[in-house]
Amino acid sequence: MKKLVCLILSLMLLCGASAFAEALPAEGLFTPGTYEAEAQGLLSTIKVQITVTESEITNVFIDASGETATLGGAAASILADEILTAQTPNVDIMSGATVSSNAIIAAATEALEAAGADIAALDANRRDTGDENAVKEEKTIDTEIVIIGAGGAGMTAAIMAQQAGKDFVILEKMPYVGGNTTKATGGMNAAETHYQKEQGIEDSKALFAADTMQGGHALNDPQLVAMLANSSSDAIDWLDSIGAELPKISFSGGASVNRIHAPADGSGVGNYLVDRFSAKLDELGVEVMLNTTATELLVDAEGKICGVKAEGADALYTFNCKAVVLATGGFGANLDMIAEYRPDLQGTVTTNAPGATGDGILMAKALGADLVDIEQIQLHPTVEQTTSMLITESVRGDGAILVNQQGLRFTNELLTRDAVSAAELAQEGQYAYILFDQNLRDHLKAIEKYVKAELTVQADTIEGLAEQLGIDPATLAKTLADWNEIVKNQRDPDFGRTTGMNADLTTPPYYAIKIAPGIHHTMGGVKINTAAEVINTEGKVIPGLFAAGEVTGGVHGGNRLGGNAVADIVIFGRIAALSAIEYVK
Ligand code: ADP
């Protein structure tokens, strides 16, 4: 769908017919004007508006405001700049925003074709987008603390450091903030919170710790787990204080009580927190140094942290500092590290953000940091395989079931992630369908995203749904009827499910999404103590080095419970910041 915005008519009025003739592409590259085109992105229609003169693209405006703020939004401004510089729509897609990038390129191509451009000719004359061999300027910056990574843990630490009046920088290697944190969909586990009390939910820090240990197969470091549980309600209060309230409490796999705290409107917790953290950093006047990759940690003769080396788009930096907070996330997007530590998982899709390449683990290891549970990698059981989009646990928590290609349930859908993933991998084809109804869709905002992204198959009857999925209709109808009976009786004799059974699945239309396991979280990482100090292989603290979030190991043990990643980044992000602040005093 294209629309000529500034019609050539206006040009004829201004310049006369001959000028119009001269402006035709036969003489120039474009017919001057402003042209618009649209294409479907991941969640929304992306609009591209391009202004051209006879010989040049002079302006590119992309409206991707309906895409996720962190990825789609970033892709819009980055690709607009690149198209303008390269003078062709065929620029590199942005990793982590493939669907949005492709839509932008498609719409830009259409707009330029409407302007009469020969796209192959534009490609052939592509303008230089910069000299990769150009010598970068060397810059030295003195500061007290360097925070590496602007995901949830790094941004939490940055807010704390700024509130404490510290001199610091925060580096982010991607052109946008948020990291894997944006992918968190469920919520944050916390016990004895004021929200739980207000909603009459009885919980205790000890029970939270016990559930986390049990969920992690008791591989976790009990002291880190106790710290997590004991600091959790304070962390909820802190989130309140910066305008990031998580009042909606529900059930999540592996928890004894309703403990997972989510945004009031049911939106994904990761994007919600990243938006709130970004807004707070803006308000506090903190600028994240984007496109700046930390490459090395520097220590003095005594082994104390004294600096960080980093590479930006135009400069090579040496930061002289007293402390570093490593908040670089996990290594779920580093296929070499996955192959090294878990050869059996080679080829598995990953839900991870492209920046999750384990840099912090490698930099700390180079200083002698100890690594714990590094081979513990969590699969998420409900990942749509063509987009790597994660289908939030809340869908099952709110009542969805899993069926195999035979139309049969095969597990308690709310067992821990590793157990449900293993059950799926035991099915023919190693996949399953997650099945729900309109009532569930009406109550869970996250589902709109899946529908918009066209991941759902839907039908007015369960038999109709079965036909579309190639499942025997009678079998699927019986499975659903049996399930509704289970909900009515609150007893699941086959698989012992006891939660997420508040509503039956009887409201058409019915929906299904084909899913399979995907790499989701790397539980292992750098060893820390309860003060978030990094420990070396001799069991000693590396002075000045602190770490928080997915870069660390020990909190989750052999399996991370849903809701504990966000708890980890906020709680240990705060602890790492406080320790670093105290250390540089
Ligand atoms: P966490 O949940 O622990 O906060 P995230 O994955 O959300 O982890 O965030 C980690 C962030 O760190 C990501 O935005 C990632 O791009 C960034 N990052 C990773 N390695 C580096 C590096 N070497 N330099 C700067 N930023 C990095």
Side-chain angles (χ1 to χ4, degrees):
M1 276 195 290
K2 57 195 154 205
K3 189 170 80 179
L4 226 60
V5 171
C6 172
L7 279 172
I8 301 152
L9 239 186
S10 59
L11 214 110
M12 290 172 75
L13 287 174
L14 281 174
C15 318
S18 65
F20 169 58
E22 275 165 27
L24 282 174
E27 270 92 44
L29 290 173
F30 311 103
T31 305
T34 298
Y35 301 83
E36 277 186 1
E38 300 176 350
Q40 179 60 37
L42 184 62
L43 305 177
S44 65
T45 302
I46 295 178
K47 296 190 179 100
V48 174
Q49 192 184 73
I50 301 189
T51 304
V52 292
T53 63
E54 199 176 315
S55 58
E56 205 174 22
I57 299 172
T58 55
N59 191 38
V60 180
F61 174 74
I62 299 170
D63 179 3
S65 49
E67 301 291 273
T68 59
T70 39
L71 287 177
S77 64
I78 292 162
L79 266 64
D81 281 352
E82 286 186 1
I83 291 169
L84 199 59
T85 309
Q87 293 286 308
T88 163
N90 288 321
V91 293
D92 287 344
I93 60 165
M94 212 178 95
S95 60
T98 310
V99 179
S100 307
S101 301
N102 282 331
I104 289 169
I105 291 168
T109 303
E110 197 175 321
L112 286 167
E113 280 172 352
D118 173 352
I119 304 294
L122 296 184
D123 283 346
N125 293 311
R126 162 188 297 275
R127 298 208 188 149
D128 201 354
T129 51
D131 179 2
E132 282 177 9
N133 300 320
V135 178
K136 291 185 176 174
E137 189 187 348
E138 297 207 9
K139 291 186 181 171
T140 301
I141 295 173
D142 294 337
T143 185
E144 284 182 294
I145 303 170
V146 176
I147 300 169
I148 309 177
M155 288 200 283
T156 298
I159 294 169
M160 298 286 288
Q162 183 70 3
Q163 286 177 333
K166 288 292 142 191
D167 183 23
F168 71 99
V169 294
I170 171 165
L171 314 180
E172 169 54 55
K173 75 172 177 180
M174 300 304 289
Y176 47 85
V177 299
N180 255 0
T181 300
T182 56
K183 310 267 178 163
T185 50
M188 166 169 161
N189 287 337
E192 299 182 32
T193 66
H194 72 93
Y195 292 121
Q196 281 180 318
K197 285 173 196 154
E198 285 152 21
Q199 293 170 39
I201 299 164
E202 275 196 38
D203 194 5
S204 75
K205 292 167 180 169
L207 188 59
F208 178 12
D211 286 344
T212 300
M213 290 300 297
Q214 192 183 348
H217 313 311
L219 257 185
N220 334 44
D221 177 334
Q223 289 181 330
L224 293 180
V225 171
M227 183 57 100
L228 182 87
N230 293 339
S231 313
S232 59
S233 87
D234 285 352
I236 288 283
D237 294 344
W238 180 78
L239 288 173
D240 286 349
S241 78
I242 61 157
E245 296 89 353
L246 298 174
K248 189 183 170 210
I249 306 176
S250 57
F251 178 79
S252 180
S256 298
V257 299
N258 286 4
R259 180 180 294 139
I260 193 163
H261 293 59
D265 66 356
S267 57
V269 69
N271 274 319
Y272 171 86
L273 287 182
V274 168
D275 285 350
R276 295 304 182 285
F277 291 167
S278 298
K280 191 69 193 175
L281 289 174
D282 284 350
E283 182 194 315
L284 294 171
V286 175
E287 197 180 322
V288 177
M289 290 182 70
L290 298 172
N291 295 307
T292 307
T293 307
T295 51
E296 193 185 347
L297 305 175
L298 306 175
V299 285
D300 64 16
E302 293 166 34
K304 288 185 189 161
I305 287 288
C306 66
V308 174
K309 286 214 178 277
E311 180 164 0
D314 307 314
L316 295 173
Y317 295 95
T318 303
F319 296 97
N320 295 319
C321 64
K322 293 187 202 151
V324 165
V325 174
L326 269 185
T328 45
F331 62 96
N334 184 329
L335 301 182
D336 291 340
M337 283 177 83
I338 298 278
E340 180 182 349
Y341 295 120
R342 283 293 299 275
D344 58 310
L345 292 182
Q346 264 176 299
T348 308
V349 300
T350 179
T351 64
N352 279 214
T357 47
D359 300 10
I361 295 172
L362 300 174
M363 286 188 284
K365 199 174 158 208
L367 294 189
D370 201 4
L371 304 184
V372 288
D373 301 335
I374 198 74
E375 69 294 339
Q376 297 296 338
I377 295 177
Q378 181 172 71
L379 297 178
H380 193 291
T382 51
V383 179
E384 200 283 328
Q385 301 285 296
T386 60
T387 54
S388 297
M389 196 188 271
L390 190 154
I391 310 303
T392 174
E393 216 125 49
S394 308
V395 184
R396 281 169 289 142
D398 283 6
I401 58 170
L402 294 175
V403 297
N404 60 18
Q405 189 62 47
Q406 286 69 48
L408 302 170
R409 284 181 70 221
F410 53 87
T411 181
N412 168 354
E413 292 83 350
L414 285 163
L415 293 176
T416 52
R417 290 172 174 173
D418 54 348
V420 179
S421 295
E424 281 170 12
L425 293 174
Q427 304 309 304
E428 194 185 318
Q430 304 193 314
Y431 63 84
Y433 298 98
I434 184 163
L435 208 143
F436 51 94
D437 70 348
Q438 182 63 35
N439 180 43
L440 200 150
R441 178 179 173 184
D442 289 342
H443 288 91
L444 191 63
K445 196 177 165 197
I447 290 183
E448 297 314 309
K449 186 165 79 175
Y450 315 140
V451 176
K452 270 191 191 159
E454 298 179 359
L455 306 184
T456 45
V457 172
Q458 88 180 61
D460 288 336
T461 62
I462 195 69
E463 288 83 359
L465 190 73
E467 270 166 29
Q468 290 191 55
L469 302 176
I471 296 176
D472 174 51
T475 309
L476 192 62
K478 180 170 183 327
T479 298
L480 199 75
D482 288 351
W483 171 251
N484 289 329
E485 222 19 56
I486 286 168
V487 172
K488 195 167 119 202
N489 301 329
Q490 291 292 297
R491 218 177 71 80
D492 177 13
D494 293 337
F495 302 107
R497 177 163 162 178
T498 55
T499 52
M501 295 162 66
N502 294 334
D504 59 17
L505 301 175
T506 51
T507 313
Y510 297 96
Y511 300 85
I513 304 174
K514 187 175 179 182
I515 48 83
I519 291 171
H520 185 50
H521 189 96
T522 49
M523 267 98 51
V526 171
K527 186 176 170 79
I528 55 166
N529 61 18
T530 53
E533 294 170 301
V534 175
I535 309 298
N536 69 16
T537 48
E538 290 164 7
K540 296 201 179 96
V541 162
I542 300 178
L545 186 57
F546 305 88
E550 201 175 342
V551 67
T552 68
V555 173
H556 308 295
N559 177 59
R560 180 181 63 77
L561 294 185
N564 271 357
V566 176
D568 186 11
I569 58 183
V570 179
I571 292 164
F572 281 97
R574 293 185 71 215
I575 293 172
L578 289 172
S579 294
I581 291 164
E582 183 62 30
Y583 180 83
V584 301
K585 251 186 190 167

